[in-house]
């Protein structure tokens, strides 16, 4: 009985342990961050760095920082900009421009992706995604579907990163 109670308690900590924005987007220190470290056995830092650079180029993302060129790791980062529908209807004025930073850190046999610093850009203002709210005149606050679409877009982006980094160098 004690073992069952212990397992239930541990499971509940795992379920509720990760902070989420509106029960959708992952938070790290109260900021939206998607990150993970993945292993790619047999690939050197140089091979993984080249794959990362190719991924940025294939996705037409400008690399604004390539640094830490030392024996242990390389860091490649850039700005990713996309539009996402805020409202229920597909009208051009209801799309919000969002930008975020993407970094890929490579080491021998592994890499880390990090997607962070999400900003909603509007003509008169910019807001961090964590505090973004719609125009108060319309009395609309957070739109859960907006955040779910951002989450889906980031998962697609992560899938493309992971697919590229797993690709054999002969492909």
């Amino acid at each position: 009985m004690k073992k069952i109670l212990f397992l239930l308690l541990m499971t509940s900590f795992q379920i509720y342990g990760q902070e989420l924005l509106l029960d959708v987007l992952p938070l790290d220190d109260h900021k939206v961050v998607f990150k993970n470290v993945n292993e790619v056995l047999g690939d050197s830092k140089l091979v993984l760095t080249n794959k990362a650079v190719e991924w940025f180029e294939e996705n037409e993302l400008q690399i604004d920082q390539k640094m830490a060129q030392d024996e242990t790791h390389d860091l490649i980062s850039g700005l990713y900009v996309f539009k996402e529908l805020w409202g229920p209807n597909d009208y051009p004025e209801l799309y919000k421009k969002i930008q975020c930073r993407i970094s890929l850190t490579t080491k021998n046999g592994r890499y880390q992706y990090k997607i962070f610093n999400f900003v909603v850009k509007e003509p008169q203002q910019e807001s961090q995604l964590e505090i973004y709210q719609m125009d108060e005149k319309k009395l609309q606050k957070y739109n859960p579907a907006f955040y779910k679409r951002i989450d889906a877009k980031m998962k697609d982006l992560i899938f493309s990163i992971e697919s590229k980094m797993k690709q054999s160098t002969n492909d």
Side-chain angles (χ1 to χ4, degrees):
M1 183 67 163
K2 288 181 182 178
K3 288 182 181 179
I4 293 172
L5 184 59
F6 178 74
L7 287 172
L8 287 173
L9 186 61
M10 292 308 291
T11 304
S12 67
F13 280 128
Q14 288 177 349
I15 292 171
Y16 298 107
Q18 184 177 13
E19 243 185 310
L20 297 173
L21 177 63
L22 296 175
D23 295 326
V24 178
L25 299 173
L27 293 174
D28 184 6
D29 196 24
H30 308 291
K31 302 284 186 194
V32 174
V33 177
F34 293 83
K35 67 180 178 178
N36 197 23
V37 175
N38 293 323
E39 287 191 30
V40 184
L41 298 177
D43 280 358
S44 69
K45 176 187 66 138
L46 178 61
V47 167
L48 291 172
T49 299
N50 288 338
K51 288 180 184 181
V53 169
E54 285 175 18
W55 181 84
F56 271 86
E57 290 170 353
E58 289 169 3
N59 288 278
E60 299 177 1
L61 300 176
Q62 183 174 347
I63 296 172
D64 58 19
Q65 187 175 37
K66 186 175 178 187
M67 57 180 275
Q69 298 265 343
D70 64 22
E71 312 79 52
T72 61
H73 69 282
D74 288 342
L75 170 70
I76 301 100
S77 70
L79 194 62
Y80 181 62
V81 180
F82 62 99
K83 289 189 176 187
E84 196 52 65
L85 179 63
W86 169 267
N89 300 317
D90 193 4
Y91 297 122
E93 64 271 10
L94 293 179
Y95 280 83
K96 301 296 174 188
K97 182 178 177 183
I98 302 166
Q99 74 177 29
C100 60
R101 303 220 42 88
I102 299 176
S103 69
L104 290 168
T105 305
T106 61
K107 292 185 174 191
N108 285 332
R110 66 184 140 144
Y111 68 95
Q112 177 186 30
Y113 65 80
K114 184 176 178 185
I115 306 170
F116 61 104
N117 197 23
F118 288 81
V119 176
V120 180
K121 299 182 88 49
E122 296 183 295
Q124 272 41 358
Q125 68 180 10
E126 15 182 280
S127 300
Q128 290 296 117
L129 184 60
E130 298 82 9
I131 61 171
Y132 178 70
Q133 292 187 13
M134 188 62 170
D135 186 353
E136 292 177 16
K137 291 183 266 179
K138 296 181 182 177
L139 299 176
Q140 294 178 343
K141 292 209 176 199
Y142 295 109
N143 177 348
F146 175 69
Y147 296 88
K148 288 177 184 173
R149 286 190 290 271
I150 292 171
D151 185 57
K153 186 174 290 275
M154 292 304 103
K155 286 178 179 171
D156 288 345
L157 192 66
I158 289 166
F159 179 77
S160 78
I161 292 169
E162 291 175 342
S163 296
K164 181 64 178 181
M165 299 304 276
K166 287 179 192 173
Q167 227 176 42
S168 93
T169 51
N170 298 332
D171 289 350

